[in-house]
Amino acid sequence: MAEGKGIAIVALTQRGAPQAMVYELLTAGRALAEKAKEPLYAVLIGGKVASYAQDLIDHGADKVSLVENPALENFTDELYAKAVAELAEKENFDKLLLPATVAGRSLAARLSVRLRAGLAAEVCEISINGTGLKAKRSQYSGNIISEVEFKSPVQILTVQAMVFPRAEKQAGRAGQTVPFAFNPGPSGIEFMSFQPEEANEVDLGAAERIVSGGRGLGNAEGFKIIRDLAHSIGAAVGASRAVVDSGWIAYRHQVGLTGRAVHPKLYIACGISGQIQHLAGMSSSGTIVAINTDPDCPMMQLASVSVAGDVNELIPLIIAEIRKRKGSAAPGRAAR
Ligand SMILES: Cc1cc2nc3c(=O)[nH]c(=O)nc-3n(C[C@H](O)[C@H](O)[C@H](O)COP(=O)(O)OP(=O)(O)OC[C@H]3O[C@@H](n4cnc5c(N)ncnc54)[C@H](O)[C@@H]3O)c2cc1C
């Protein structure tokens, strides 16, 4: 393989393990590396993460640049940007792919300044144009797809979740791990604490199945059946802005223009009318199931499967059927 300047994916870790999106970046990076005939690097960064190096190689990386330091135990964009920028300059990386997660976005912005690199955010398609990258971005709720080309020698992309499949594992694949000595120096940022998600919560951005609730649930208590249904099928819990604004559920669950953009294989919208701002975040889902008393609302029109009826009657029946098939007891009805 020719030693080019190198395509690098930034393998961000969370609580010591790679973020789920790292394996999607490996798929995207591998395809580019094949096309460009360049090696694919994975920058594995964190406090103590060396045990994942072979895993990244097994999933498509040719070389793992291992950036381990106790100061990198918790994500702070300032130190991470310093570490990745110093490594990128040393290794001459000219194409960097990061996840469009909260940490990935923040890091990409700082890297673009440090490396004087062009940055295309939230891309949904990537190709190689000659020796540089070309990308597509979905804008204005998916109504416009813009094409981005770079003028800068160093090019950075953040990649939307769920647009590339997870890389397949090829156990024992050959590759190389090279440690990078990083000296963090003084930092103006101090890490205070980590607040974990509620127990058993599936991350919305990486979820393959999502059950979302809207105003049709009636009140905050209505989310009990949403959580029960989500739990019974291993799904994440989503929500419309109307219920987030009403304080029924935390903002991190909001799907839509001003919430999260999601791309699950299955999206179940319960009591959500389907206003354009909500659709902006989920209309590219695989199968959409809508449960709503109004058969004419936009969500029911958009859905692959539309079920007309009251969520508080239908959802407990659906959960009971799922549990019956799984061989466990049925749940009670939620209070309205
Ligand atoms: C700048 C801007 C940004 C926005 N960003 C977002 C965003 O990111 N995400 C978002 O979601 N919204 C966003 N909104 C708000 C959006 O316009 C809607 O107000 C919101 O999505 C409506 O939420 P909803 O569908 O839960 O409520 P409603 O529109 O009130 O719909 C409730 C639905 O429940 C159904 N229903 C009622 N009772 C039952 C029952 N018992 N069983 C079954 N169905 C029932 C009704 O028929 C109706 O379809 C934004 C708005 C603006 C202006």
Side-chain angles (χ1 to χ4, degrees):
M1 182 168 45
E3 289 280 336
K5 278 184 165 179
I7 297 166
I9 66 126
V10 180
L12 291 175
T13 54
Q14 199 168 24
R15 306 288 94 200
Q19 289 184 345
M21 260 205 80
V22 165
Y23 299 94
E24 297 170 28
L25 292 183
L26 283 165
T27 298
R30 186 72 253 154
L32 293 175
E34 299 291 339
K35 194 92 195 287
K37 298 191 171 26
E38 289 180 5
L40 176 63
Y41 288 79
V43 179
L44 178 56
I45 180 164
K48 206 164 176 20
V49 289
S51 58
Y52 287 98
Q54 183 57 42
D55 188 51
L56 299 185
I57 293 169
D58 287 349
H59 285 88
D62 297 310
K63 296 187 180 184
V64 173
S65 298
L66 179 63
V67 192
E68 267 192 332
N69 192 292
L72 301 170
E73 177 79 35
N74 296 294
F75 178 82
T76 57
D77 42 12
E78 184 197 35
L79 280 188
Y80 269 57
K82 182 172 189 282
V84 177
E86 285 176 5
L87 172 69
E89 278 167 348
K90 176 174 173 273
E91 296 288 350
N92 244 347
F93 296 147
D94 61 348
K95 303 176 195 71
L96 286 115
L97 274 57
L98 291 96
T101 55
V102 175
R105 286 190 196 110
S106 171
L107 177 56
R110 281 183 180 256
L111 280 176
S112 85
V113 175
R114 280 182 172 265
L115 299 172
R116 296 177 181 274
L119 166 61
E122 312 259 346
V123 304
C124 54
E125 232 181 274
I126 316 169
S127 55
I128 292 262
N129 179 23
T131 54
L133 293 176
K134 205 170 150 182
K136 288 190 181 171
R137 304 177 62 217
S138 160
Q139 289 178 281
Y140 299 106
S141 315
N143 289 316
I144 293 177
I145 302 289
S146 57
E147 282 195 4
V148 186
E149 285 189 52
F150 291 88
K151 289 184 177 164
S152 56
V154 182
Q155 307 172 357
I156 300 178
L157 300 174
T158 61
V159 180
Q160 267 189 8
M162 309 293 282
V163 296
F164 292 95
R166 276 177 65 96
E168 297 284 334
K169 180 167 179 155
Q170 300 166 49
R173 200 173 161 274
Q176 204 185 346
T177 300
V178 183
F180 173 70
F182 171 60
N183 176 14
S187 169
I189 295 178
E190 185 188 350
F191 178 82
M192 302 301 287
S193 68
F194 172 75
Q195 185 72 43
E197 295 272 323
E198 282 168 36
N200 297 329
E201 241 181 41
V202 180
D203 176 45
L204 199 58
E208 295 206 335
R209 297 171 196 164
I210 294 175
V211 181
S212 264
R215 201 149 31 196
L217 296 174
N219 55 34
E221 285 296 302
F223 266 97
K224 179 178 181 320
I225 52 172
I226 297 295
R227 290 188 197 283
D228 281 346
L229 177 55
H231 186 61
S232 69
I233 58 171
V237 172
S240 71
R241 175 166 165 178
V243 296
V244 170
D245 286 351
S246 301
W248 297 1
I249 191 164
Y251 168 72
R252 66 174 182 278
H253 294 276
Q254 183 178 318
V255 172
L257 191 63
T258 46
R260 303 282 292 272
V262 296
H263 311 272
K265 289 183 181 157
L266 174 66
Y267 190 88
I268 307 180
C270 307
I272 297 178
S273 59
Q275 300 309 309
I276 187 76
Q277 297 90 354
H278 188 84
L279 301 186
M282 49 63 66
S283 58
S284 62
S285 304
T287 300
I288 298 170
V289 177
I291 306 175
N292 201 300
T293 45
D294 176 5
D296 298 321
C297 72
M299 187 62 87
M300 293 285 268
Q301 300 297 314
L302 172 78
S304 342
V305 180
S306 303
V307 185
D310 186 331
V311 284
N312 283 281
E313 286 173 10
L314 291 174
I315 294 176
L317 296 175
I318 296 168
I319 301 169
E321 184 60 28
I322 291 168
R323 294 193 180 174
K324 194 168 87 188
R325 292 187 189 200
K326 285 183 174 174
S328 60
R333 281 188 53 168
R336 283 214 65 167

